[in-house]
Amino acid sequence: MIRSRAEWMRHRGLPDWDAWMGSADLMAARATRPRTAAWLLVHEDGSVVGCTTVSAVVPDEGWNARERTESALYLTTTCTDPAWREHRPGTRLVTWALAYAGEAGAATLRRSCQGPGLLRLYRDVQGFDLVRTVSDGGSPTHLLARATNGGPPTAGSLWDRRL
């Protein structure tokens, strides 16, 4: 699935496709390590459609001292299979992560990204607010946040449906 995403990126001339391709085995291995909170979106036929990591560890980049003390979880290393794009697996993962973070007592779900395409997706489609953009001399990193919904999923909800 990760390699499919990297190929999709390469064919569209998107940056970092080679980094995704090179780290595919490591990213896949994280899903099997008990100490890592990696989550998979799996179709009923067993196909892995998406993956993400939810962490309580504050990333090094960009969050100020006050924000580091706030109740938040961080969504990282999200990847989806482009063959399932019409089903919006990334949005399904975010919907699930918001409920998960709320159940865990976090008031906010945060994430970061580079590039205008992901910024538009996370902000305009998935409902994250842009907190700020930071740069350490490299590519700008956009820091985003979204309030959690504070409750468990309900029957028939988006994340309960099979793809």
Side-chain angles (χ1 to χ4, degrees), residues 6-17:
E7 276 299 314
W8 181 88
M9 292 169 67
R10 183 178 71 80
H11 287 296
R12 285 158 181 75
L14 297 172
D16 298 329
W17 69 267

Side-chain angles (χ1 to χ4, degrees), residues 20-100:
W20 279 85
M21 189 66 78
S23 64
D25 290 338
L26 177 62
M27 288 176 69
R30 284 183 184 144
T32 64
R33 294 190 313 207
R35 71 175 189 267
T36 305
W39 302 92
L40 301 176
L41 178 60
V42 180
H43 185 271
E44 61 189 7
D45 71 5
S47 301
V48 176
V49 177
C51 63
T52 196
T53 303
V54 180
S55 175
V57 177
V58 181
D60 292 335
E61 189 172 42
W63 301 100
N64 65 37
R66 179 187 51 78
E67 292 163 338
R68 288 175 174 274
T69 65
E70 294 173 348
S71 170
L73 291 181
Y74 297 85
L75 195 57
T76 63
T77 61
T78 302
C79 182
T80 60
D81 188 333
W84 293 88
R85 192 170 182 205
E86 69 186 72
H87 298 284
R88 298 191 152 312
T91 299
R92 289 173 183 238
L93 286 167
V94 166
T95 302
W96 169 83
L98 285 164
Y100 177 84

